[in-house]
């Protein structure tokens, strides 16, 4: 079981005189759990998500983000993973390295990439992830040996890269087909270009599909429920529940509304106000927010301040 | 004269005229491009009198015409010194001398082969002599099958000898006359090598006709001429060049391509070119399309210091159509000025132009296009789409579409987009596990996908790989 620990996280917009957005966020998400992160617009929810994934637009000025891994999380690694490779300082890693360790960010507005089919993209992403994992977990001697090996070019471009460890096209198509059936997605998706011309709902569904393929330890889903009609909301919610139930993914679900929480029941609910977690509680906290808004939380914050 | 110069002159003479040293020795004394030079070239090839005359007329044109200098935003050609044109030919001949020695190739070319992962045997092939052998084998196998159908595919020099009537009728007469532009005139004067393709009526050549490494082993191959004649109802896909750079110690390439698309015929001309970074690539390519004929131009322009290339289709007959897909990539110090020209000279003609450019590290790409719809070309339509992708703020991309519409009953669409590779797009892919380079590569592969999907798989793979190398900045 992986644990994402966020301690006293401060972050600002990465430019001269950039606005400070996060002012000491503390949060802990275990795999297999669903956390809802709520709060008014501009409170720092999306920024938290992006900083976890390593978005270059933000600069972390204080605090830590740590990912702790246990045996289960490194079961795919051939060799014994020593203690020092079970605790990762995410802030020191590139976004793709964080992804390789099991962090997934579901975007509110995912990029549209023309000319790249879903199948191609997902297969490449999966292969890139496994390759990066190997690198992150291999010991130094191996790393040196690999570097030597990579200096030559021993294959022709006609044959394609020497990708012995990679998942093949046929095998991948099976995997993709299964996951798409699970999410009740049309087969045609596989040959469409990544998010290009997708409706809002299709994009959200696609984000969940990607999490289902990449099997992250922790998925941060940024307003995955926005702009969805009720049918699509149910599909997406089922997908999220499946992430937890079938892959043991921990979900940090960012949302404005109680609505999605009717389908995806959170274990924990957090309220973010002005760049801090102001209140945490169980599923009933979300219901109270739905009824009473955020003002009472804000009042409490200012009273204690 | 210093001894160095003496030595140089001797080497030149040997290289250029290895078989007839003494007879030709006066030739090198001439500086610049002269009538005598042309006579020597023509005689060397044993050409008929009419071809010599055409060369000489082209030379006259060339000497009269000014260098293009005043096109808005055109590449700087001031380094192209036409008075030095003969010394430009010489190093290319030296190439022929040295091709069998891998170590004599310039480093950037060798690196390219290495990075493409091309094995040693193939490298030797690509570097010249072997390639000729390799392509001969392929060519011979195909030839039998084609010959039965009356298809001709041979070297252009050979065609002048063996298919004289066809060549005489079509060579730089109706399609690309030397008067077209200064470099067409230059080409007409000193052309050499290239391909001749003839497809008889109602004949469909199912597999692409490929001219692969031909140029390296052709002495003055940097002025190659391609002549394609597709008779009524025929079909052919011709692919020229390959993604391996054409070896060029030489820094001027001025090719000519002429395509005759008969009634109801279909010709696809595809090329993926990667020139060394010191090359001025100034070409003229044009197709004449008869009624209901279809011409497709697919081209990827990589490398070169400056490229000026605008493949053109003249839609002569009712219902003729044209489809252009062009992709340009410009890195540091490069100016790729390319586009398309279409003349709608008959009713019901149709054209589409899809132009994509990528620039990085201060590279400059231009789309320069002309669509002309003649008075009377009613019910014609054209759609132009230009997309530019830039990697950084130092790179430039300009779109210069000209539309001359002299007929009111037509459908004209133009669309242009210019974008920087978005940080959000890259971050999105990174968050899925791709590293920065792979993310950019994926975006660019997607961007050029309309071209790669039109090419046979091995070309598509090589093109992608080349783009990848360009992006790593590891070529040239």
């Amino acid at each position: 079981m992986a644990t994402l620990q966020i301690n006293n996280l401060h972050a600002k917009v990465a430019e001269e005189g950039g606005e400070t957005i996060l002012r000491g966020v503390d949060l802990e998400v275990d795999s297999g759990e669903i956390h809802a992160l709520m709060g008014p617009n501009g409170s720092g929810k999306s920024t938290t998500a992006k900083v976890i994934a390593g978005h270059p637009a933000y600069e972390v000025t204080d605090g830590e983000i740590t990912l702790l891994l246990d045996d289960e999380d490194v079961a795919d690694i051939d060799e014994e993973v020593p203690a020092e490779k079970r605790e990762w300082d995410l802030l020191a890693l590139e976004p793709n390295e964080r992804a390789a360790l099991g962090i997934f960010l579901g975007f509110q507005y995912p990029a549209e990439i023309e000319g790249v089919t879903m199948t191609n993209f997902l297969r490449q992403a999966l292969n890139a992830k496994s390759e990066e994992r190997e690198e992150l977990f291999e010991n130094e001697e191996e790393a040196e040996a690999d570097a030597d090996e990579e200096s030559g070019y021993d294959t022709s471009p006609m044959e394609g890269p020497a990708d012995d460890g990679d998942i093949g096209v046929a095998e991948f198509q099976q995997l993709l087909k299964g996951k798409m059936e699970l999410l009740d997605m049309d087969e045609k998706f596989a040959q469409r270009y990544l998010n290009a011309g997708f409706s809002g709902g299709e994009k959200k569904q696609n984000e969940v599909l990607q999490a289902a393929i990449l099997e992250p330890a922790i998925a941060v889903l940024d307003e995955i429920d926005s702009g969805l009609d009720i049918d699509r909301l149910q599909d997406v919610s089922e997908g999220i529940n499946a992430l937890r139930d079938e892959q043991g993914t921990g979900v940090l679900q960012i949302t404005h509304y109680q609505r999605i929480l009717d389908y995806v029941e959170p274990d924990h609910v957090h309220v973010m106000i002005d760049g801090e977690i102001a209140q945490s509680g169980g599923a009933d906290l979300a219901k109270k927010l739905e009824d009473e808004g955020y003002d009472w939380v804000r009042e409490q914050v200012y009273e204690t301040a | 004269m210093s001894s160095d110069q003496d030595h140089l002159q001797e080497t030149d003479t040997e290289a250029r005229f290895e078989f007839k040293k003494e007879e030709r020795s006066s030739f090198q004394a001439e500086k610049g491009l002269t009538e005598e030079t042309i006579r020597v070239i023509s005689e060397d090839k044993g050409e008929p009198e009419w071809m010599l005359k055409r060369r000489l007329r082209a030379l006259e044109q060339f000497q009269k015409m000014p260098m293009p200098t005043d096109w808005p935003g055109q590449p700087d050609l001031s380094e192209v010194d036409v008075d030095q044109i003969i010394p430009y030919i010489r190093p290319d001949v030296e190439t022929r001398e040295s091709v069998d020695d891998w170590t004599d190739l310039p480093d950037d070319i060798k690196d390219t082969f290495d990075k493409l992962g091309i094995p040693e045997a193939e490298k030797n092939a690509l570097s010249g002599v072997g390639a000729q052998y390799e392509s001969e084998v392929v060519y011979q196998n195909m030839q039998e099958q084609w010959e039965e159908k009356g298809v001709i595919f041979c070297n252009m020099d050979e065609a002048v000898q063996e298919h004289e009537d066809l060549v005489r009728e079509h060579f730089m007469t109706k399609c690309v006359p030397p008067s077209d532009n200064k470099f067409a005139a230059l080409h007409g004067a000193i052309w050499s090598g290239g391909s001749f393709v003839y497809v008889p009526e109602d004949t469909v050549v199912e597999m692409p006709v490929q001219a692969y490494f031909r140029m390296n082993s052709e002495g003055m191959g940097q002025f190659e001429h391609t002549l394609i004649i597709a008779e009524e109802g025929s079909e052919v896909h011709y692919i020229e060049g390959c993604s391996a750079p054409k070896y060029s110690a030489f820094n001027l390439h001025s090719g000519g391509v002429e395509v005759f698309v008969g009634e109801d015929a279909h010709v696809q001309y595809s090329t993926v070119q990667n020139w060394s970074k010191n090359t001025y690539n100034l070409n003229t390519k044009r197709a004449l399309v008869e009624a209901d004929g279809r011409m497709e131009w697919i081209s990827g322009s990589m490398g070169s210091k400056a490229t000026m290339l605008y493949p053109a289709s003249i839609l002569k007959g009712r219902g003729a159509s044209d489809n252009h897909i062009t992709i340009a990539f410009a890195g540091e110090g490069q100016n790729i000025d390319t586009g398309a020209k279409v003349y709608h000279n008959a009713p019901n003609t149709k054209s589409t132009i899809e132009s994509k450019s990528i620039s990085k590290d201060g590279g400059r790409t231009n789309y320069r296009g002309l669509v002309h719809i003649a008075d009377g070309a009613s019910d014609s339509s054209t759609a132009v789409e230009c997309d530019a992708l830039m990697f950084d703020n130092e790179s430039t991309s300009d779109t210069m579409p000209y539309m001359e519409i002299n007929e009111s009953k037509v459908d004209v669409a133009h669309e242009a987009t210019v974008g920087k590779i978005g940080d959000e797009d890259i971050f999105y892919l990174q968050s899925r596990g791709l590293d920065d380079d792979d993310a950019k590569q994926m975006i660019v592969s997607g961007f050029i996908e309309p071209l790669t999907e039109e090419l046979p798989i091995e070309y598509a793979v090589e093109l992608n790989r080349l783009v990848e190398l360009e992006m790593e900045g590891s070529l040239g």
Side-chain angles (χ1 to χ4, degrees):
Chain A
M1 187 179 73
T3 303
L4 176 70
Q5 280 178 351
I6 302 175
N7 293 319
N8 191 34
L9 186 67
H10 288 68
K12 68 189 237 338
V13 174
E15 58 187 45
E16 192 76 18
E19 187 193 352
T20 296
I21 299 174
L22 303 186
R23 302 164 189 273
V25 178
D26 294 293
L27 199 60
E28 187 166 314
V29 181
D30 284 339
S31 50
E33 289 179 349
I34 292 188
H35 290 241
L37 181 61
M38 305 183 75
N41 280 332
S43 57
K45 302 186 298 294
S46 285
T47 302
T48 305
K50 287 178 181 167
V51 170
I52 293 169
H55 198 294
Y58 301 96
E59 186 186 324
V60 172
T61 50
D62 200 5
E64 297 104 41
I65 305 179
T66 312
L67 185 67
L68 305 170
L69 304 175
D70 73 7
D71 284 346
E72 211 178 295
D73 300 311
V74 294
D76 61 317
I77 307 298
D78 291 340
E79 286 170 54
E80 180 71 16
V81 176
E84 71 266 20
K85 294 230 168 180
R86 289 169 181 252
E87 184 175 329
W88 294 88
D89 167 16
L90 291 190
L91 295 177
L93 298 174
E94 294 294 320
N96 60 306
E97 293 171 321
R98 300 183 199 197
L101 288 174
I103 300 291
F104 180 89
L105 175 60
F107 285 66
Q108 190 179 358
Y109 304 108
E112 301 189 7
I113 315 284
E114 288 280 355
V116 178
T117 62
M118 290 285 301
T119 308
N120 243 335
F121 158 69
L122 284 167
R123 194 171 78 88
Q124 275 202 50
L126 199 59
N127 285 332
K129 179 179 170 174
S130 69
E131 201 176 298
E132 189 63 55
R133 274 182 81 78
E134 264 174 47
E135 271 177 41
L136 285 167
F137 287 104
E138 77 186 347
N139 62 41
E140 275 171 37
E141 282 167 38
E142 283 172 7
E144 277 170 28
D146 278 4
D148 287 346
E149 215 172 275
E150 276 165 23
S151 61
Y153 293 84
D154 49 3
T155 59
S156 151
M158 306 297 180
E159 292 162 14
D163 50 4
D164 39 357
D166 287 1
I167 182 165
V169 175
E171 191 189 344
F172 177 75
Q173 268 163 350
Q174 277 305 311
L175 172 73
L176 180 61
K177 201 170 165 228
K179 299 284 186 184
M180 282 173 57
E181 272 167 17
L182 200 71
L183 291 169
D184 203 19
M185 290 174 81
D186 194 319
E187 259 179 62
K188 277 181 270 175
F189 261 86
Q191 286 315 311
R192 286 175 69 182
Y193 293 150
L194 177 56
N195 289 323
F198 282 29
S199 71
E202 286 170 339
K203 284 181 184 169
K204 299 293 158 67
Q205 225 170 351
N206 189 16
E207 293 296 283
V208 178
L209 171 68
Q210 292 177 43
I213 297 273
L214 295 169
E215 301 196 358
I218 307 286
V220 182
L221 305 176
D222 190 3
E223 298 202 24
I224 201 95
D225 52 343
S226 71
L228 296 185
D229 62 33
I230 192 72
D231 290 341
R232 196 71 82 167
L233 182 68
Q234 282 176 0
D235 288 344
V236 166
S237 301
E238 274 171 34
I240 296 170
N241 286 327
L243 290 181
R244 177 189 52 185
D245 300 340
E246 289 171 33
Q247 302 177 181
T249 298
V251 176
L252 178 61
Q253 169 123 10
I254 295 171
T255 182
H256 269 300
Y257 307 106
Q258 162 65 29
R259 206 171 58 138
I260 192 169
L261 304 179
D262 291 338
Y263 303 101
V264 181
E265 194 175 343
D267 302 299
H268 303 274
V269 175
H270 312 276
V271 185
M272 189 166 228
I273 306 272
D274 298 334
E276 282 181 82
I277 304 289
Q279 184 100 32
S280 292
D284 50 339
L285 175 58
K287 295 201 175 71
K288 186 171 177 186
L289 293 168
E290 177 85 351
D291 296 338
E292 300 178 26
Y294 295 110
D295 285 350
W296 64 271
V297 188
R298 186 173 270 129
E299 275 162 29
Q300 274 187 0
V301 173
Y302 289 116
E303 265 170 37
T304 52
Chain B
M1 200 179 269
S2 74
S3 62
D4 269 353
Q5 275 171 317
D6 276 336
H7 174 71
L8 198 68
Q9 191 170 2
E10 199 180 297
T11 315
D12 295 349
T13 312
E14 270 175 22
R16 176 66 187 82
F17 307 108
E18 47 183 322
F19 304 116
K20 302 172 183 173
K21 281 179 208 170
E22 285 185 16
E23 270 179 49
R24 307 282 193 251
S25 58
S26 61
F27 172 56
Q28 282 297 318
E30 294 288 339
K31 197 173 181 186
L33 187 57
T34 64
E35 189 178 320
E36 202 186 333
T37 314
I38 302 305
R39 286 184 185 278
V40 169
I41 292 174
S42 188
E43 200 191 325
D44 209 34
K45 294 176 176 294
E47 284 177 351
E49 186 67 18
W50 61 267
M51 181 52 87
L52 173 64
K53 280 189 178 153
R54 279 190 202 176
R55 287 184 184 274
L56 293 174
R57 270 206 307 274
L59 176 67
E60 255 176 67
Q61 304 265 13
F62 172 73
Q63 284 162 342
K64 275 191 291 193
M65 292 165 108
M67 285 285 274
T69 51
D70 54 353
W71 295 17
Q74 82 160 73
D76 179 9
L77 301 181
S78 58
E79 252 185 42
V80 181
D81 182 356
V82 290
D83 292 331
Q84 298 295 324
I85 208 80
I86 288 310
Y88 282 164
I89 294 175
R90 174 181 39 82
D92 196 48
V93 181
E94 282 179 355
T95 303
R96 176 161 64 178
E97 296 300 291
S98 59
V99 279
D100 44 2
D101 192 350
W102 175 245
T103 52
D104 286 350
L105 284 169
D107 287 343
D108 61 331
I109 304 289
K110 278 189 288 196
D111 283 354
T112 306
F113 287 136
D114 276 340
K115 283 164 183 158
L116 280 168
I118 291 169
E120 195 70 29
E122 210 176 330
K123 284 175 191 169
N124 291 334
L126 287 171
S127 63
V129 181
Q132 187 66 13
Y133 171 69
E134 288 287 327
S135 53
E136 280 296 326
V137 172
V138 177
Y139 161 64
Q140 291 295 352
N141 286 343
M142 290 177 174
Q143 204 178 38
E144 264 178 46
Q145 176 199 339
W146 290 344
E147 263 176 359
E148 285 166 19
K149 295 179 174 179
V151 175
I152 303 167
F153 175 40
C154 68
N155 182 308
M156 196 62 222
D157 287 316
E158 221 174 286
V160 173
Q161 313 289 343
E162 289 170 26
H163 308 284
E164 193 174 342
D165 291 347
L166 278 172
V167 175
R168 188 169 186 170
E169 184 188 340
H170 294 93
F171 186 93
M172 297 193 82
T173 51
K174 295 170 267 193
C175 195
V176 179
S179 56
D180 188 76
N181 67 72
K182 191 168 180 76
F183 292 97
L186 174 68
H187 174 83
I190 58 174
W191 77 272
S192 184
S195 302
F196 177 70
V197 179
Y198 177 82
V199 187
E201 247 181 75
D202 296 322
T203 304
V204 175
V205 183
E206 287 97 358
M207 60 196 307
V209 181
Q210 308 186 21
Y212 219 65
F213 319 118
R214 187 177 293 263
M215 258 171 264
N216 284 336
S217 48
E218 293 288 335
M220 295 173 293
Q222 305 299 342
F223 298 91
E224 81 287 355
H225 192 91
T226 300
L227 177 55
I228 300 169
I229 304 167
E231 299 282 17
E232 190 175 332
S234 69
E235 225 178 283
V236 65
H237 181 185
Y238 174 82
I239 304 181
E240 187 169 273
C242 68
S243 58
K246 290 162 187 166
Y247 173 39
S248 172
F250 199 46
N251 58 9
L252 176 62
H253 170 250
S254 191
V257 175
E258 300 185 279
V259 185
F260 291 85
V261 184
E263 267 186 41
D264 212 23
H266 176 198
V267 177
Q268 181 174 335
Y269 171 95
S270 304
T271 179
V272 175
Q273 308 200 328
N274 182 37
W275 298 96
S276 58
K277 301 277 155 74
N278 63 344
T279 302
Y280 285 87
N281 184 31
L282 311 164
N283 295 281
T284 310
K285 302 186 179 185
R286 186 172 301 149
L288 290 181
V289 191
E290 305 292 342
D292 295 316
R294 182 149 67 100
M295 179 65 205
E296 291 183 88
W297 295 99
I298 317 285
S299 57
S301 299
M302 317 265 298
S304 85
K305 183 179 175 89
T307 286
M308 290 176 79
L309 170 60
Y310 325 97
S313 287
I314 298 174
L315 305 177
K316 286 174 67 182
R318 180 183 283 270
S321 66
D322 162 80
N323 179 23
H324 269 88
I325 298 175
T326 71
I327 300 214
F329 193 121
E332 189 181 354
Q334 292 180 272
N335 188 343
I336 311 293
D337 192 298
T338 184
K341 287 196 278 188
V342 185
Y343 295 85
H344 291 256
N345 290 349
N348 294 96
T349 49
K350 209 181 248 179
S351 66
T352 58
I353 297 171
E354 198 172 345
S355 162
K356 295 190 172 258
S357 70
I358 303 160
S359 50
K360 71 180 260 273
D361 300 333
R364 173 168 193 163
T365 60
N366 296 347
Y367 167 79
R368 199 183 296 278
L370 170 67
V371 177
H372 176 92
I373 299 185
D375 186 11
S378 56
D379 299 307
S380 291
S381 67
T382 180
V384 182
E385 192 184 328
C386 315
D387 300 319
L389 193 60
M390 280 177 287
F391 271 89
D392 46 55
N393 295 328
E394 288 73 52
S395 302
T396 327
S397 183
D398 286 308
T399 300
M400 286 166 273
Y402 296 88
M403 300 269 192
E404 298 170 355
I405 315 292
N406 301 320
E407 166 66 45
S408 54
K409 232 181 121 192
V410 292
D411 188 4
V412 176
H414 174 83
E415 205 179 311
T417 65
V418 177
K420 213 183 128 190
I421 281 200
D423 293 342
E424 290 300 322
D425 293 352
I426 293 169
F427 178 65
Y428 184 73
L429 298 178
Q430 283 182 302
S431 76
R432 300 301 184 252
L434 282 82
D435 65 24
D436 184 63
D437 281 348
D438 288 345
K440 285 178 182 160
Q441 169 61 20
M442 182 175 273
I443 291 167
V444 172
S445 307
F447 183 73
I448 65 171
E449 199 264 355
L451 172 67
T452 48
E453 80 174 348
E454 292 291 333
L455 293 171
I457 185 77
E458 63 269 34
Y459 286 84
V461 168
E462 286 198 28
L463 180 68
N464 264 321
R465 185 77 182 114
L466 268 173
V467 167
E468 192 180 323
L469 292 174
E470 287 282 351
M471 280 170 38
E472 287 168 6
S474 48
L475 280 186

